[in-house]
Amino acid sequence: MAEQPDAQQPLTERVVIVTGGAGFVGSHLVDRLVERGDRVVVVDNVVTGTWDNLAHLGDRIERVEADVSQGLALDTLGDRAPDTVYGVCHLASPASPPAYLALPVETLMVGSEGTRHALEVARQRGGRFLLASTSEIYGDPEVHPQPETYLGNVNAIGPRGCYDEAKRFAEAMTMAYARTHGVSVRIARLFNTYGPRLRAEDGRVVSNLLTQAMENRPMSIYGDGTQTRSFGYVDDTVDGLLRLLDSDVQMPVNLGTPTEFSILELVEAVRRVTGTTAEVVHLELPTDDPTQRQPDIGRAKELLGWKPEVTLIDGLHRYADWLSAQTA
């Protein structure tokens, strides 16, 4: 097995590479890593992310603009390229439905070749590897709530298959490197995450509804709104990612809020936060849209001591404040 860094070494000696670190969740993870004293190298092609998310960190991080499907391009750092790393956190991928539906091939490539390149860096430089996977690997689940042992119900050839199967392949590649090369791996299955830096135009349901409500425009929901989701605030998600990265847990772990909300209930929460009286308009339900989504987080509680702390109402208030600041 590849030699792993001592988890107790001084934090200032740790080097962590974050692919997709200029994105929504990735940039929050970078913040936390820098805050605790890690040296952070961010690799991103800024197709769906933006360096603006990290502008406040200045020269406290190192930036590599590259498509990880082609490689991590660490040689561009010259003499500063790390010989060893504490970890590689692989978050690079389009994540919102409009983004991956517009970039299906690129999404599949970052899940396949991008994951392989990131795993190679972890293997060659002696680091642990953390994959940010997704609840979408469960597809339209026939088991509820979803434990990590559930194998899923995914339509590989449907329009959403580019994202679902990219993540499923990424998990398979991750475990292949663990078994074949002894890389110490972690897999986080993230459920619907929202919060600051999730762009108003991102296309996910929370950003859509909150933005529409704040502008007093009709709130659009797909289908009849009875489908359910688990909405997790980004700070909770990142806390779970860090706990998993620093742990010895080498099996998939759900990171999400076990409280299930229908989309109609989300609409009412948004109305409560914004005070809007905007009407609801119903749009056609997308192909393969899951009818239920709720994580079983027993593994995260037991092995990581993790559970979400931010309520939906509190999280929506924080996110609304951030959205307001963007247009002020």
Side-chain angles (χ1 to χ4, degrees):
M1 180 176 288
E3 183 179 352
Q4 297 303 316
D6 181 0
Q8 300 303 313
Q9 66 179 296
L11 294 178
T12 53
E13 296 179 7
R14 292 182 176 177
V15 178
V16 181
I17 297 170
V18 183
T19 73
F24 163 44
V25 175
S27 63
H28 285 277
L29 178 61
V30 170
D31 278 345
R32 289 285 300 278
L33 290 167
V34 170
E35 179 183 303
R36 75 181 198 175
D38 291 3
R39 175 189 167 197
V40 184
V41 178
V42 178
V43 184
D44 204 303
N45 65 356
V46 292
V47 169
T48 58
T50 172
W51 293 121
D52 289 345
N53 285 336
L54 300 170
H56 60 285
L57 293 176
D59 60 4
R60 297 174 68 191
I61 61 171
E62 291 157 278
R63 298 164 175 81
V64 176
E65 190 161 323
D67 178 358
V68 298
S69 299
Q70 305 299 318
L72 271 61
L74 298 180
D75 58 333
T76 61
L77 296 173
D79 294 341
R80 289 284 294 161
D83 294 323
T84 60
V85 300
Y86 173 69
V88 177
C89 301
H90 184 40
L91 283 79
S93 178
S96 71
Y100 61 68
L101 291 173
L103 300 165
V105 175
E106 292 85 348
T107 300
L108 285 160
M109 288 300 294
V110 76
S112 53
E113 282 299 284
T115 302
R116 184 176 69 85
H117 288 306
L119 279 159
E120 269 298 306
V121 170
R123 182 180 75 84
Q124 294 172 11
R125 306 190 188 212
R128 57 190 64 196
F129 178 82
L130 170 64
L131 172 68
S133 186
T134 172
S135 61
E136 296 297 330
I137 66 107
Y138 299 125
D140 189 4
E142 297 174 332
V143 172
H144 193 74
Q146 295 82 57
E148 292 88 350
T149 52
Y150 176 53
L151 301 182
N153 177 37
V154 174
N155 178 7
I157 62 172
R160 297 171 67 105
C162 63
Y163 183 66
D164 302 356
E165 294 297 345
K167 291 296 188 180
R168 288 165 67 91
F169 183 91
E171 289 197 12
M173 179 72 82
T174 296
M175 294 310 300
Y177 262 74
R179 297 183 182 108
T180 305
H181 300 298
V183 176
S184 182
V185 302
R186 292 105 176 92
I187 297 173
R189 292 176 178 167
L190 309 185
F191 284 66
N192 297 63
T193 304
Y194 69 97
R197 300 180 197 159
L198 181 62
R199 298 171 300 164
E201 65 275 16
D202 179 86
R204 287 177 244 198
V205 64
V206 177
S207 55
N208 282 352
L209 291 176
L210 197 54
T211 301
Q212 290 165 348
M214 292 172 66
E215 296 174 356
N216 210 33
R217 293 187 285 123
M219 291 188 286
S220 56
I221 63 175
Y222 296 94
D224 62 9
T226 58
Q227 64 269 38
T228 65
R229 295 293 184 269
S230 162
F231 301 109
Y233 191 68
V234 66
D235 289 358
D236 284 331
T237 298
V238 169
D239 179 58
L241 288 172
L242 284 173
R243 288 173 185 247
L244 183 57
L245 174 66
D246 293 337
S247 77
D248 294 321
V249 178
Q250 298 197 57
M251 61 181 74
V253 177
N254 287 336
L255 295 178
T257 301
T259 305
E260 183 182 18
F261 291 94
S262 71
I263 302 304
L264 290 174
E265 288 173 326
L266 175 62
V267 167
E268 291 310 308
V270 168
R271 281 179 168 156
R272 178 177 164 188
V273 167
T274 63
T276 186
T277 57
E279 65 175 333
V280 170
V281 294
H282 293 263
L283 306 178
E284 183 178 356
L285 192 67
T287 302
D288 296 327
D289 191 65
T291 55
Q292 291 181 305
R293 188 60 58 74
Q294 181 187 12
D296 179 332
I297 64 167
R299 187 175 286 181
K301 286 181 176 179
E302 178 183 354
L303 302 180
L304 303 179
W306 179 88
K307 62 182 178 65
E309 302 292 343
V310 180
T311 66
L312 179 61
I313 293 296
D314 188 14
L316 288 174
H317 274 295
R318 297 187 200 183
Y319 184 29
D321 288 345
W322 180 84
L323 287 170
S324 294
Q326 305 313 297
T327 58

